[in-house]
Coordinates of all heavy atoms in Angstrom, one line a residue:
G86 N 69.5 46.4 -221.7 CA 68.3 45.7 -222.1 C 68.4 44.3 -221.6 O 69.0 44.0 -220.6
G87 N 67.7 43.4 -222.4 CA 67.7 42.0 -222.0 C 66.4 41.3 -222.0 O 66.3 40.2 -221.4
F88 N 65.4 41.8 -222.7 CA 64.2 41.0 -222.8 C 63.5 41.2 -224.1 O 63.6 42.2 -224.8 CB 63.2 41.3 -221.6 CG 62.3 42.5 -221.8 CD1 61.2 42.5 -222.6 CD2 62.7 43.7 -221.3 CE1 60.4 43.6 -222.8 CE2 61.9 44.9 -221.5 CZ 60.8 44.8 -222.2
A89 N 62.9 40.1 -224.6 CA 62.1 40.1 -225.8 C 60.8 39.4 -225.4 O 60.8 38.4 -224.7 CB 62.8 39.4 -227.0
S90 N 59.7 39.9 -226.0 CA 58.4 39.3 -225.6 C 57.4 39.5 -226.7 O 57.5 40.3 -227.6 CB 57.9 39.9 -224.3 OG 57.4 41.2 -224.4
V91 N 56.3 38.6 -226.5 CA 55.1 38.8 -227.3 C 53.9 38.7 -226.4 O 54.0 38.1 -225.3 CB 55.0 37.7 -228.4 CG1 56.0 37.9 -229.5 CG2 55.2 36.3 -227.8
R92 N 52.9 39.5 -226.8 CA 51.7 39.5 -225.9 C 50.4 39.4 -226.8 O 50.4 40.0 -227.9 CB 51.6 40.8 -225.1 CG 52.8 41.1 -224.2 CD 52.7 42.4 -223.5 NE 53.9 42.7 -222.8 CZ 54.1 43.9 -222.1 NH1 53.1 44.8 -222.1 NH2 55.2 44.1 -221.5
S93 N 49.4 38.8 -226.2 CA 48.1 38.8 -226.9 C 47.5 40.2 -226.7 O 47.8 40.9 -225.7 CB 47.2 37.7 -226.3 OG 46.9 38.0 -224.9
R94 N 46.6 40.5 -227.5 CA 45.8 41.8 -227.3 C 44.7 41.5 -226.4 O 44.3 40.4 -226.2 CB 45.3 42.3 -228.7 CG 46.5 42.5 -229.7 CD 46.0 43.3 -230.9 NE 47.1 43.4 -231.9 CZ 48.0 44.4 -231.9 NH1 47.9 45.3 -230.9 NH2 49.0 44.4 -232.8
G95 N 44.3 42.6 -225.7 CA 43.4 42.4 -224.6 C 42.0 41.8 -224.9 O 41.4 42.1 -225.9
S96 N 41.6 40.8 -224.0 CA 40.3 40.2 -224.1 C 40.1 39.5 -222.8 O 41.0 39.3 -222.0 CB 40.2 39.2 -225.3 OG 41.1 38.1 -225.1
N97 N 38.9 39.1 -222.6 CA 38.5 38.3 -221.4 C 38.9 36.9 -221.5 O 38.4 36.2 -222.4 CB 36.9 38.4 -221.2 CG 36.5 37.7 -220.0 OD1 37.3 37.1 -219.3 ND2 35.2 37.8 -219.8
L98 N 39.9 36.5 -220.7 CA 40.5 35.1 -220.8 C 39.7 34.2 -220.0 O 39.9 32.9 -220.1 CB 42.0 35.1 -220.5 CG 42.9 36.0 -221.4 CD1 44.3 35.8 -221.0 CD2 42.7 35.6 -222.9
G99 N 38.9 34.6 -219.0 CA 38.1 33.7 -218.2 C 38.8 32.8 -217.3 O 38.4 31.7 -217.0
L100 N 40.0 33.3 -216.7 CA 40.8 32.5 -215.8 C 40.2 32.6 -214.4 O 39.6 33.6 -214.0 CB 42.2 33.0 -215.8 CG 42.9 33.0 -217.2 CD1 44.3 33.5 -217.0 CD2 42.9 31.6 -217.8
K101 N 40.4 31.5 -213.7 CA 39.8 31.4 -212.3 C 40.9 30.8 -211.4 O 41.9 30.2 -211.8 CB 38.6 30.5 -212.3 CG 37.4 30.9 -213.1 CD 36.8 32.2 -212.7 CE 35.7 32.7 -213.6 NZ 35.1 34.0 -213.2
N102 N 40.7 31.1 -210.1 CA 41.6 30.5 -209.1 C 41.5 29.0 -209.2 O 40.5 28.4 -209.4 CB 41.2 30.9 -207.7 CG 41.6 32.3 -207.3 OD1 42.7 32.7 -207.6 ND2 40.8 33.0 -206.6
G103 N 42.7 28.3 -209.1 CA 42.8 26.9 -209.2 C 43.0 26.4 -210.6 O 43.3 25.2 -210.8
D104 N 42.9 27.2 -211.6 CA 43.2 26.8 -213.0 C 44.7 26.7 -213.2 O 45.5 27.1 -212.4 CB 42.7 27.9 -214.0 CG 41.2 28.0 -214.1 OD1 40.5 27.1 -213.6 OD2 40.7 29.0 -214.7
S105 N 45.0 26.0 -214.3 CA 46.4 26.0 -214.8 C 46.4 26.4 -216.2 O 45.5 26.0 -217.0 CB 47.0 24.6 -214.6 OG 47.1 24.2 -213.2
I106 N 47.5 27.0 -216.6 CA 47.8 27.3 -218.0 C 48.6 26.1 -218.6 O 49.6 25.7 -217.9 CB 48.5 28.6 -218.3 CG1 47.8 29.8 -217.7 CG2 48.8 28.8 -219.7 CD1 46.5 30.1 -218.4
V107 N 48.2 25.5 -219.7 CA 48.9 24.4 -220.3 C 49.3 24.9 -221.7 O 48.5 25.4 -222.5 CB 48.0 23.2 -220.4 CG1 48.9 22.0 -220.9 CG2 47.4 22.8 -219.1
I108 N 50.6 24.8 -222.0 CA 51.1 25.3 -223.3 C 52.0 24.2 -223.9 O 52.8 23.6 -223.3 CB 51.9 26.6 -223.0 CG1 52.5 27.2 -224.3 CG2 53.0 26.5 -222.0 CD1 53.1 28.6 -224.2
R109 N 51.8 24.0 -225.2 CA 52.5 23.0 -225.9 C 53.6 23.7 -226.8 O 53.2 24.5 -227.6 CB 51.7 22.1 -226.8 CG 52.4 21.1 -227.7 CD 51.5 20.1 -228.3 NE 52.1 19.3 -229.3 CZ 52.9 18.2 -229.0 NH1 53.0 17.8 -227.7 NH2 53.4 17.5 -230.0
V110 N 54.9 23.5 -226.5 CA 55.9 24.2 -227.1 C 57.1 23.3 -227.6 O 57.3 22.2 -227.1 CB 56.5 25.2 -226.1 CG1 55.5 26.3 -225.6 CG2 57.1 24.5 -224.9
R111 N 57.8 23.9 -228.6 CA 59.1 23.3 -229.0 C 60.1 24.4 -229.0 O 59.9 25.4 -229.7 CB 58.9 22.7 -230.4 CG 60.3 22.1 -230.9 CD 60.1 21.2 -232.1 NE 59.6 21.9 -233.2 CZ 59.2 21.3 -234.4 NH1 59.4 20.0 -234.5 NH2 58.8 22.0 -235.4
G112 N 61.1 24.3 -228.2 CA 62.0 25.4 -228.0 C 63.4 25.1 -228.3 O 63.8 24.1 -229.0
D113 N 64.3 25.9 -227.7 CA 65.8 25.8 -227.9 C 66.6 25.5 -226.7 O 67.8 25.7 -226.6 CB 66.2 27.1 -228.5 CG 65.7 28.3 -227.7 OD1 65.2 28.1 -226.6 OD2 65.7 29.5 -228.2
G114 N 65.9 25.0 -225.7 CA 66.6 24.7 -224.4 C 66.7 25.8 -223.4 O 67.1 25.6 -222.3
R115 N 66.2 27.0 -223.8 CA 66.3 28.1 -222.9 C 65.0 28.2 -222.0 O 64.0 27.6 -222.2 CB 66.4 29.4 -223.7 CG 67.7 29.4 -224.6 CD 67.8 30.6 -225.5 NE 68.2 31.8 -224.7 CZ 68.7 32.9 -225.2 NH1 69.0 33.0 -226.5 NH2 69.0 34.0 -224.5
E116 N 65.1 29.1 -221.0 CA 64.0 29.3 -220.1 C 63.3 30.5 -220.4 O 63.8 31.6 -220.6 CB 64.5 29.4 -218.6 CG 63.4 29.5 -217.6 CD 63.9 29.5 -216.2 OE1 64.0 28.4 -215.6 OE2 64.2 30.6 -215.6
Y117 N 61.9 30.4 -220.6 CA 61.1 31.5 -220.9 C 60.1 31.7 -219.7 O 60.1 30.9 -218.8 CB 60.2 31.2 -222.2 CG 61.1 31.0 -223.4 CD1 61.8 29.9 -223.7 CD2 61.1 32.1 -224.3 CE1 62.6 29.8 -224.8 CE2 61.9 32.0 -225.5 CZ 62.6 30.8 -225.7 OH 63.4 30.7 -226.9
N118 N 59.4 32.9 -219.8 CA 58.4 33.2 -218.8 C 57.1 33.3 -219.4 O 57.0 34.0 -220.5 CB 58.7 34.5 -218.0 CG 59.8 34.3 -217.0 OD1 59.7 33.5 -216.1 ND2 60.9 35.1 -217.1
L119 N 56.0 32.7 -218.8 CA 54.7 33.0 -219.2 C 54.2 34.1 -218.3 O 54.3 34.1 -217.1 CB 53.8 31.8 -219.1 CG 52.4 32.0 -219.7 CD1 52.5 31.9 -221.2 CD2 51.4 30.9 -219.2
R120 N 53.7 35.2 -218.9 CA 53.3 36.4 -218.1 C 51.8 36.6 -218.3 O 51.3 36.5 -219.5 CB 54.1 37.6 -218.6 CG 55.6 37.4 -218.3 CD 56.4 38.5 -218.8 NE 56.2 39.7 -218.0 CZ 56.9 40.1 -217.0 NH1 57.9 39.3 -216.6 NH2 56.7 41.2 -216.3
L121 N 51.1 37.0 -217.3 CA 49.7 37.4 -217.3 C 49.6 38.8 -216.9 O 50.2 39.3 -215.9 CB 48.9 36.5 -216.3 CG 49.1 35.0 -216.6 CD1 48.3 34.2 -215.5 CD2 48.5 34.6 -218.0
Y122 N 48.8 39.6 -217.6 CA 48.6 41.0 -217.4 C 47.2 41.4 -217.0 O 46.3 40.8 -217.6 CB 49.1 41.8 -218.6 CG 50.5 41.6 -219.0 CD1 50.9 40.5 -219.8 CD2 51.5 42.5 -218.6 CE1 52.2 40.3 -220.2 CE2 52.8 42.3 -219.0 CZ 53.2 41.2 -219.8 OH 54.5 41.0 -220.2
V123 N 47.0 42.3 -216.1 CA 45.7 42.9 -215.8 C 45.7 44.3 -216.2 O 46.7 44.9 -216.4 CB 45.4 42.7 -214.3 CG1 45.5 41.2 -213.9 CG2 46.4 43.5 -213.4

């Protein structure tokens, strides 16, 4: 094993080329991944 994740349920996110995702977080010093699904 080796992964834990959370995902939003499917909807139209309206993302476009050239956009950026901005996320405000408070963590534990570890490295996470933001993942996008089609």
Side-chain angles (χ1 to χ4, degrees):
F88 80 85
S90 74
V91 287
R92 300 178 189 177
S93 67
R94 300 190 185 275
S96 66
N97 181 356
L98 297 184
L100 303 179
K101 301 293 181 183
N102 282 321
D104 290 349
S105 296
I106 302 292
V107 187
I108 179 170
R109 179 170 169 79
V110 298
R111 178 166 63 185
D113 47 16
R115 301 178 72 161
E116 184 176 271
Y117 294 78
N118 282 304
L119 190 75
R120 299 176 70 92
L121 303 176
Y122 300 85
V123 301

